[in-house]
Amino acid sequence: MINALLKGIISLIVGLTSTILKPIDLLIVSVLPDFSNALTAVANIFNLASQYVGFAISVTGLSNETLSLIVLYYTFKLTAPLMVSTVKSAIKWYDKLKP
């Protein structure tokens, strides 16, 4: 039930985003056609890379738990400094706004 609700919310967000960004996409295609081709090439590169990610991961022979730990480690490593700097900024702002 929750899974279906989340899928519905995500599909709604994707639909609204594509509707909002459609005029910008049409502007890019009409004004900068070469830039549009470059964006298509970048999308094709990501599609090609994503096709082989699963194969590359399966070749390593790592278990699902190990892969999950690796993803969690890098997620923490990349987000923890951002969280710390955000909290530091909030504390500085609070100190400056205090009467």
Side-chain angles (χ1 to χ4, degrees):
M1 179 70 182
I2 294 175
N3 190 18
L5 183 65
L6 287 176
K7 284 183 181 180
I9 290 171
I10 290 173
S11 66
L12 177 68
I13 291 171
V14 168
L16 288 174
T17 304
S18 66
T19 303
I20 291 170
L21 294 178
K22 191 67 172 174
I24 296 171
D25 187 36
L26 292 174
L27 180 69
I28 290 172
V29 169
S30 65
V31 176
L32 302 168
D34 293 332
F35 186 67
S36 174
N37 293 338
L39 291 177
T40 304
V42 170
N44 289 338
I45 289 171
F46 279 119
N47 286 336
L48 183 64
S50 66
Q51 287 177 352
Y52 296 106
V53 167
F55 174 72
I57 289 173
S58 66
V59 168
T60 61
L62 298 173
S63 66
N64 289 337
E65 292 80 15
T66 307
L67 293 172
S68 296
L69 284 174
I70 292 170
V71 169
L72 286 172
Y73 169 74
Y74 280 109
T75 302
F76 178 76
K77 183 178 177 181
L78 295 173
T79 57
L82 181 63
M83 288 179 11
V84 169
S85 67
T86 303
V87 170
K88 283 182 178 180
S89 294
I91 291 171
K92 285 181 186 177
W93 291 344
Y94 176 74
D95 287 340
K96 288 183 180 179
L97 292 175
K98 273 194 318 190

